[in-house]
Amino acid sequence: MSRSAILPLTFALVLAGTAAQAAGVTVAIACGSVGAEQAQCQEGAKEWEAKTGNTVKVVAAPQSTSDQLALYQQILSAGSSDIDVFQIDVVWPGILGSHFIDLKPYVDQATIDQHFPNIIKGLSRGDQLLALPWFTDAGLLYYRQDLLDKYKLKVPETWDQLTETAKTIQDGERKDGNDRFFGFVFQGRSYEGLTCNALEWIASFGGGTIVGPDGKITVNTPQAAKALDLAASWVGTIAPDGVLNYMEEDARGVFQSGNAAFMRNWPYAHGLVDAGDSPVKGKVGVAALPKGDGEGARSAATLGGWNLAVSKYSAHPKEAADLAAFLTGKDEQKRRAIAGAFQTTIPALYEDPDVLKAQPFFATLKTAFDGALARPSAITGERYNEVSTLFWNAVHNTLSKQGDGATNLAQLQKDLNRLSRGGRW
Ligand code: GLC
């Protein structure tokens, strides 16, 4: 092609770009980066760009929710307009809420009412709606059906059964030549994910929820200590020592490469461990997490989830709210449920035949969601992250064998008492 043939083409492209920009504004959204989150956020953003003529800048958040929180606190407390839409964790409204606009004037009531009412309640302050629900989460047990069949074992229903089953499979697989094989992987690093895991262990033994709905500190119980001691016994036996540094994606990496019998993770992992190129595709089952034992024993799943909020410092609140409403809307949630197993916040989609065909395990997820255990973020408000940090440190110390459950929980109770001036949050 001659130089003169190329030039007009280049010029036309530049012009097209300028025309699109002139017609619209640029909205920046900070999206999570666990699993397929970035790719799926980009995909949805592209559709909104095509529909509105605006441009979206997708900013990648750090993987750890705790690191994200620290970063967003900095950005927002500086009053920066760099990011218009924030993907916020379900436990953050009390911490960051004052930096977000009320979305009520931008979204009609029917759109709000299509979501689980409990999630909307958690995102509301009085009459104001601080964020729109994007996807929810509940902890699940992933297991290797092929290995349970190989060793003629059943899906464990209690943590003791899990401990034994994981050990049997681990011993067998190592004997068969895989010395990198482990029985169980989970999120054991010092961060919010460990709070989620440990809350499940403790609640499954009937050991409380750290802080009760009335503000009372409920974590220093014999059942809670028992749960933590059991979890500590896994580290270096059925779980690698490295689990003390695992987040969601570390656990998924081990499980997906075929090197673990069980994994605790959120629903998104299903979209990846069972996808086309996964070495364990077709071999994975999903069940409720095991129960503890003793009085009050039950299966407990921590409630997680992510929502979209618009910064008060945004230069384009109208467009930003429109992007948030588009991404959290029914069509986009359906697309994301099918493409990435993101657990929808819209109850009607749990009966959608296309969703159920792509993600048959969604049929059980609605029940997991209904019974899911909230972290004590509502009662502890802006101090939730301090509470959670004290909690995950006490748990991490126990898992690292620096003190047993009872000792670390007694200390935690003192620390929480001091922080709350005796439970007055
Ligand atoms: C998931 C949950 C979120 C939780 C986080 C912990 O992303 O949805 O609520 O805080 O995991 O790692």
Side-chain angles (χ1 to χ4, degrees), residues 290-308:
K291 295 186 182 92
D293 57 49
E295 211 181 310
R298 60 155 171 142
S299 166
T302 297
L303 177 67
W306 293 87
N307 315 281
L308 294 182

Side-chain angles (χ1 to χ4, degrees), residues 69 73 90-96 125 192 195 199 209-219 374-391 412 415-417 419-425:
L69 176 61
Q73 277 177 315
V90 71
V91 287
W92 296 351
I95 305 173
L96 297 180
R125 283 292 160 278
E192 186 63 24
T195 290
L199 187 64
T209 54
I210 314 175
V211 178
D214 54 357
K216 272 220 190 89
I217 293 142
T218 56
V219 78
R375 282 161 276 173
S377 53
I379 178 78
T380 59
E382 60 184 18
R383 267 175 299 165
Y384 171 71
N385 194 48
E386 289 167 77
V387 171
S388 187
T389 307
L390 287 169
F391 177 65
L412 174 64
D415 295 343
L416 290 176
N417 253 323
L419 183 68
S420 64
R421 288 154 299 141
R424 290 190 300 277
W425 296 96

Side-chain angles (χ1 to χ4, degrees), residues 86-406:
F86 286 88
Q87 177 180 330
I88 66 159
D89 198 334
V90 71
V91 287
W92 296 351
I95 305 173
L96 297 180
S98 60
H99 297 288
F100 302 134
I101 64 166
D102 174 20
L103 290 168
K104 279 270 180 74
Y106 300 95
V107 189
D108 62 59
Q109 195 58 39
T111 303
I112 297 173
D113 290 345
Q114 69 184 338
H115 297 280
F116 284 118
N118 274 350
I119 304 185
I120 293 292
K121 199 171 145 213
L123 300 173
S124 301
R125 283 292 160 278
D127 274 354
Q128 302 198 340
L129 182 63
L130 301 179
L132 282 162
W134 201 10
F135 60 99
T136 182
D137 261 339
L140 296 169
L141 179 71
Y142 288 78
Y143 57 89
R144 287 280 302 278
Q145 184 63 57
D146 60 321
L147 294 178
L148 289 176
D149 293 345
K150 176 172 169 188
Y151 296 94
K152 303 197 173 28
L153 296 165
K154 286 196 304 215
V155 179
E157 286 176 10
T158 66
W159 289 111
D160 281 340
Q161 287 169 8
L162 176 129
T163 309
E164 253 177 62
T165 310
K167 174 90 171 63
T168 308
I169 300 179
Q170 179 176 302
D171 289 349
E173 291 304 288
R174 289 194 180 182
K175 221 163 48 234
D176 281 357
N178 183 356
D179 1 299
R180 285 191 309 163
F181 193 92
F182 281 95
F184 184 38
V185 289
F186 53 93
Q187 293 78 47
R189 186 192 182 110
S190 286
Y191 81 122
E192 186 63 24
L194 180 56
T195 290
C196 297
N197 282 242
L199 187 64
E200 287 161 352
W201 305 330
I202 290 177
S204 75
F205 277 84
T209 54
I210 314 175
V211 178
D214 54 357
K216 272 220 190 89
I217 293 142
T218 56
V219 78
N220 189 16
T221 62
Q223 301 97 296
K226 191 170 171 192
L228 293 193
D229 290 338
L230 176 64
S233 79
W234 298 331
V235 180
T237 58
I238 59 167
D241 288 321
V243 82
L244 292 173
N245 214 13
Y246 277 14
M247 298 196 290
E248 284 79 0
E249 287 290 88
D250 306 294
R252 182 175 70 82
V254 174
F255 186 80
Q256 188 160 327
S257 57
N259 291 325
F262 297 103
M263 166 175 74
R264 184 272 177 209
N265 217 324
W266 307 102
Y268 86 91
H270 196 268
L272 300 160
V273 297
D274 212 33
D277 56 352
S278 164
V280 294
K281 182 179 163 61
K283 300 176 176 168
V284 177
V286 180
L289 286 162
K291 295 186 182 92
D293 57 49
E295 211 181 310
R298 60 155 171 142
S299 166
T302 297
L303 177 67
W306 293 87
N307 315 281
L308 294 182
V310 173
S311 163
K312 260 189 181 164
Y313 319 109
S314 166
H316 307 291
K318 188 166 157 285
E319 289 81 2
D322 192 62
L323 173 63
F326 176 84
L327 292 176
T328 57
K330 198 168 171 192
D331 290 348
E332 180 58 9
Q333 286 214 16
K334 176 171 172 175
R335 190 192 66 72
R336 288 169 54 96
I338 293 172
F342 289 100
Q343 191 180 341
T344 173
T345 61
I346 300 177
L349 286 177
Y350 290 83
E351 273 131 52
D352 185 294
D354 302 331
V355 171
L356 290 175
K357 186 161 168 251
Q359 310 292 355
F361 80 115
F362 264 48
T364 53
L365 276 188
K366 189 155 180 292
T367 333
F369 171 79
D370 285 339
L373 202 70
R375 282 161 276 173
S377 53
I379 178 78
T380 59
E382 60 184 18
R383 267 175 299 165
Y384 171 71
N385 194 48
E386 289 167 77
V387 171
S388 187
T389 307
L390 287 169
F391 177 65
W392 81 54
N393 281 332
V395 175
H396 200 267
N397 285 340
T398 313
L399 296 184
S400 327
K401 321 280 193 297
Q402 291 168 30
D404 62 7

Side-chain angles (χ1 to χ4, degrees), residues 66-89:
S66 306
D67 294 346
Q68 283 181 47
L69 176 61
L71 179 66
Y72 298 166
Q73 277 177 315
Q74 260 178 33
I75 295 175
L76 289 165
S77 52
S80 157
S81 62
D82 288 354
I83 294 175
D84 302 282
V85 182
F86 286 88
Q87 177 180 330
I88 66 159
D89 198 334

